[in-house]
Amino acid sequence: MKLESVSIKLKTFFFLFCFLSFSFCKKTGSDAGPESVLPDTTKRPNVLWIVIDSLRGDIIGRYGVTPNLDLFSGNAVTFKYHLVNAAWTRPSTLVFFTGKYASANPVNFWDYPTTKSEVEAFYRTEKHPLPKLLKENVFGTYMVGNNPFLTDKFGLGVDVGFDQLYDFSNYNEDTKKITKKTFEVLEEISKDKKPFFLFLNYNDPHKPYTPPPGFTDRIHTDEVLDEKKRDYLGEVAFVDEELGKVFLELKNKNLWENTLVLITADHGEVMNAAHAISPFTGTNTYYGHGQDLFLENIHVPLLLKLPGETKGQSISAMTRSIDLYPTILDYAGLTVPKFVQGKSLRSLIENRESTKRTYYGETRFTQGYGEGHEFLLQRSYRFHELGKFWQGSVGSEFYLYSDATKDPNQESPLRISNIAAIRDMKLKPDLEKKILRFWKQIRSMEPKLPLYHLSIQPESKDTEVQIRIPNGTIRMASYPNDVLLEEKGKFVQIQTKRTKPFEISFEVYPDVSFPEFTVWFSKKQIPKSEIFTGYFGVSLASCQSNCDLLYESGTKKPVITPQTKVYFWKEGGQKKSYSSKQELGTDALEILKKQGYVQ
């Protein structure tokens, strides 16, 4: 009996131990967070993201050249008013894959080369580009297409973390090659149980427009077309036919049902003669892009087929390309990182949207903000870089306001020479108020420039401060009312008879050069050994070159002792360095020539 009792107790203890162990393991798994691997990864949808380079938002369904996309849209969510947040391929693609505005990552959107420092900064700061993030969460990630900005091989872009990348930017007649390689990738994918992310990037109908024979014959329209638009539409027809093959292959491989298919473009194309010469850059951009933020440059298609969904839906509300990164993560069942500046489209699709989305965009020489169909575009030097395109001078920065409900083609925008002049334009009060609000939104959306501070403790009634920069312009942020201020762009002179300590603050616009300054008390220059700088109050004389970090103070004002005559510090991060901009190599130039970027 005693042995039987002991046996029963041991069995009870064993079953209790197993039950507690199971409960603990189950709880631990549930607390692992949405970014951890799901037990059954096959339940996650596959993702096929298709980009048709330069495809305007008014092409699909209009000219008879998109039968496959027309058929696709019948089973997809069609976003009628989708806007990209950058107007040429590299910044637009990085918006796709970072979920942030172009200026929020280190890679410039001004010139084609990416410097070594930009590439290194991207890898250091961009920890979660979309392909890398999906790869970390079990997805197999592939890129097939023509996009030279998705590799750091040619000095044109950055690697965003694909498992396998097949770039055809250095091939002629790349479209069919891209389709063929896509079939090979789908064959590989169909044998793998992991969910996949495939980024398929067709370069057609990007210029030069060279459609194969017969494709322009598919155009059906009463519109009088010039040769360039006819050839452009011929290339659209060519890509549409290739997409039809890809869709069929997905179905043959039994991948269609559980795949989220997203189709969009990285930018539009200028076809309105009124915008032939960009008012922002002065560049001929007719049948081109990237030189402004007018709607024909930023309005592109967006079609989204959800896994297992066959019902079509049309959404007319504004959406933005910055919303695509969080949308993919949302439908993949992954947590959207806090740094993402867009918003998942799921609430719109499910009719749960409570507020209207607004637009902010950036491209060469241009910043813009929009609500509904009203936009304020600014000619801007904010993100300029020194080089062959810009030598450091800052000119006028005017604004163009347009309302596309009244001026659909934005041919007659209201020009505002500067924001201060708006008071004298005698606009209707509501319009003036709106433009000022849009202007404030542009300022609030852009990254802040570093702010430089000088603290002066005068020894006499005769103090003079001179500030110089080699490039850009100095913008005074704050200074006492009783100082004499002379501003000459790259040079500022301040004189005062104050005997009490005072402080002046300024920006260098754009942030491409470091300020030099001198201070005199009673015509006697203060030596560097008596000027202290940065958070730790190091003497300016202690550093001779590459002293950027020395001046940093973070977000805190340094402690300044009464004995300190001059104290200098910087708030807001290190300046970008563009002085070593490299020249493009032969391979890179050949790629850009093939794609019509350079002549």
Side-chain angles (χ1 to χ4, degrees):
M1 290 293 292
K2 287 183 179 179
L3 287 173
E4 184 176 328
S5 175
V6 170
S7 176
I8 293 171
K9 288 181 179 179
L10 285 172
K11 287 180 180 178
T12 304
F13 175 79
F14 176 76
F15 284 119
L16 181 62
F17 175 80
C18 290
F19 173 78
L20 290 173
S21 298
F22 173 78
S23 300
F24 175 77
C25 292
K26 185 176 181 182
K27 183 178 181 182
T28 302
S30 67
D31 286 346
E35 286 197 24
S36 61
V37 178
L38 294 177
D40 185 2
T41 59
T42 58
K43 290 184 179 180
R44 283 188 174 162
N46 307 309
V47 178
L48 171 59
W49 185 330
I50 300 171
V51 167
I52 306 169
D53 202 313
S54 307
L55 184 61
R56 288 167 53 108
D58 61 354
I59 300 298
I60 294 177
R62 277 190 65 194
Y63 296 93
V65 294
T66 56
N68 290 296
L69 287 172
D70 296 347
L71 188 63
F72 177 90
S73 66
N75 303 114
V77 184
T78 300
F79 296 86
K80 296 288 189 180
Y81 190 43
H82 183 67
L83 310 179
V84 291
N85 298 96
W88 64 282
T89 302
R90 186 172 67 209
S92 192
T93 305
L94 289 179
V95 169
F96 291 162
F97 289 156
T98 64
K100 298 187 290 189
Y101 295 112
S103 60
N105 76 65
V107 180
N108 82 84
F109 52 89
W110 172 252
D111 201 357
Y112 295 119
T114 51
T115 63
K116 183 179 179 181
S117 63
E118 288 174 356
V119 174
E120 290 174 349
F122 182 87
Y123 295 149
R124 186 172 61 252
T125 61
E126 298 297 326
K127 303 298 184 184
H128 300 288
L130 184 61
K132 183 179 179 183
L133 181 58
L134 291 174
K135 182 168 64 175
E136 291 168 353
N137 286 276
V138 189
F139 282 79
T141 61
Y142 308 81
M143 181 274 181
V144 181
N146 182 336
N147 189 330
F149 305 115
L150 283 177
T151 170
D152 56 17
K153 184 177 179 181
F154 301 107
L156 294 171
V158 290
D159 183 342
V160 292
F162 285 102
D163 283 317
Q164 297 182 41
L165 187 146
Y166 304 99
D167 176 52
F168 291 84
S169 57
N170 56 350
Y171 288 82
N172 292 316
E173 300 178 355
D174 57 286
T175 300
K176 284 187 173 293
K177 292 182 175 68
I178 291 170
T179 303
K180 182 182 178 184
K181 177 53 71 172
T182 300
F183 281 19
E184 294 173 7
V185 169
L186 290 176
E187 176 66 24
E188 179 182 339
I189 284 170
S190 65
K191 297 175 182 177
D192 196 340
K193 292 185 178 181
K194 291 194 303 183
F196 67 82
F197 171 61
L198 170 57
F199 185 70
L200 176 56
N201 198 154
Y202 284 103
N203 188 244
D204 288 335
H206 192 288
K207 68 178 185 181
Y209 315 128
T210 54
F215 282 94
T216 56
D217 297 337
R218 303 183 182 189
I219 301 169
H220 299 290
T221 181
D222 294 329
E223 181 182 326
V224 177
L225 302 174
D226 61 25
E227 183 180 1
K228 284 188 176 180
K229 187 163 185 179
R230 183 171 292 278
D231 287 343
Y232 171 90
L233 292 173
E235 288 203 348
V236 174
F238 181 32
V239 171
D240 182 83
E241 181 168 285
E242 295 301 296
L243 284 175
K245 298 175 186 177
V246 172
F247 296 155
L248 183 60
E249 188 68 7
L250 276 166
K251 293 171 184 175
N252 290 339
K253 291 282 190 289
N254 295 317
L255 297 171
W256 183 259
E257 286 298 317
N258 193 41
T259 298
L260 181 152
V261 183
L262 186 158
I263 302 175
T264 190
D266 50 352
H267 51 75
E269 197 82 333
V270 175
M271 296 184 180
N272 188 332
H275 302 149
I277 305 298
S278 167
F280 302 99
T281 66
T283 302
N284 186 338
T285 187
Y286 201 39
Y287 286 98
H289 49 267
Q291 308 294 330
D292 62 56
L293 293 171
F294 290 124
L295 280 170
E296 63 176 347
N297 232 331
I298 63 172
H299 179 209
V300 301
L302 176 61
L303 306 173
L304 186 66
K305 182 198 82 70
L306 300 175
E309 184 63 69
T310 59
K311 181 182 177 183
Q313 183 182 353
S314 181
I315 292 176
S316 59
M318 177 197 288
T319 57
R320 302 85 46 95
S321 61
I322 204 164
D323 299 327
L324 301 182
Y325 180 111
T327 300
I328 296 296
L329 294 185
D330 194 352
Y331 280 103
L334 300 173
T335 299
V336 178
K338 292 181 179 179
F339 62 75
V340 170
Q341 293 174 300
K343 179 183 177 184
S344 171
L345 298 173
R346 193 165 190 165
S347 58
L348 258 179
I349 295 169
E350 297 175 357
N351 200 27
R352 296 183 286 105
E353 191 89 333
S354 57
T355 57
K356 292 182 179 180
R357 300 172 193 231
T358 60
Y359 176 81
Y360 172 70
E362 302 159 329
T363 194
R364 298 182 180 100
F365 256 115
T366 319
Q367 292 175 264
Y369 176 80
E371 293 179 4
H373 290 79
E374 295 179 84
F375 293 86
L376 184 68
L377 305 183
Q378 176 190 356
R379 184 177 192 257
S380 171
Y381 290 84
R382 177 65 174 78
F383 304 108
H384 274 35
E385 298 180 20
L386 293 169
K388 61 182 178 181
F389 294 118
W390 185 63
Q391 302 300 318
S393 62
V394 173
S396 65
E397 295 184 318
F398 58 82
Y399 298 81
L400 298 180
Y401 165 81
S402 63
D403 182 352
T405 59
K406 300 174 182 176
D407 180 15
N409 296 321
Q410 297 176 297
E411 294 177 343
S412 304
L414 174 68
R415 184 183 174 107
I416 304 157
S417 59
N418 60 73
I419 288 298
I422 198 171
R423 306 289 184 187
D424 302 323
M425 294 180 67
K426 298 180 180 179
L427 302 176
K428 292 181 178 180
D430 287 349
L431 178 57
E432 179 182 310
K433 186 177 180 180
K434 183 181 293 181
I435 291 172
L436 287 172
R437 181 166 58 79
F438 282 21
W439 171 73
K440 289 178 182 177
Q441 287 294 326
I442 293 175
R443 299 283 77 78
S444 68
M445 299 293 282
E446 67 185 13
K448 299 296 180 286
L449 287 168
L451 198 60
Y452 298 92
H453 306 276
L454 263 173
S455 174
I456 311 290
Q457 302 201 44
E459 285 185 339
S460 66
K461 292 184 178 181
D462 184 10
T463 299
E464 182 177 332
V465 181
Q466 292 184 358
I467 306 168
R468 298 177 179 82
I469 55 170
N471 300 288
T473 187
I474 298 169
R475 290 184 169 179
M476 299 302 298
S478 63
Y479 52 90
N481 294 329
D482 57 350
V483 303
L484 294 175
L485 184 68
E486 184 179 0
E487 297 180 83
K488 295 182 179 178
K490 298 178 184 179
F491 174 76
V492 170
Q493 180 170 292
I494 298 169
Q495 292 180 314
T496 181
K497 297 188 179 299
R498 287 177 64 104
T499 56
K500 293 181 179 181
F502 65 95
E503 191 174 299
I504 58 175
S505 302
F506 61 93
E507 297 173 339
V508 176
Y509 178 87
D511 182 29
V512 293
S513 57
F514 202 82
E516 294 288 336
F517 65 91
T518 49
V519 181
W520 287 270
F521 293 158
S522 298
K523 308 298 182 183
K524 181 180 179 182
Q525 184 174 337
I526 305 301
K528 288 186 175 182
S529 59
E530 296 182 31
I531 299 175
F532 297 90
T533 186
Y535 183 78
F536 297 103
V538 180
S539 168
L540 198 61
S542 64
C543 187
Q544 303 300 320
S545 63
N546 299 321
C547 303
D548 282 12
L549 287 173
L550 180 68
Y551 307 121
E552 295 288 341
S553 184
T555 58
K556 295 182 179 179
K557 180 177 179 178
V559 177
I560 302 172
T561 63
Q563 294 78 25
T564 306
K565 296 177 182 179
V566 180
Y567 206 110
F568 174 67
W569 72 98
K570 184 175 65 164
E571 173 189 347
Q574 298 182 59
K575 78 173 182 65
K576 294 181 179 179
S577 176
Y578 303 120
S579 56
S580 60
K581 178 68 71 179
Q582 77 249 24
E583 292 295 321
L584 287 170
T586 303
D587 288 345
L589 282 171
E590 284 301 313
I591 289 170
L592 294 177
K593 285 178 181 178
K594 286 176 183 177
Q595 303 195 41
Y597 283 109
V598 297
Q599 302 302 316

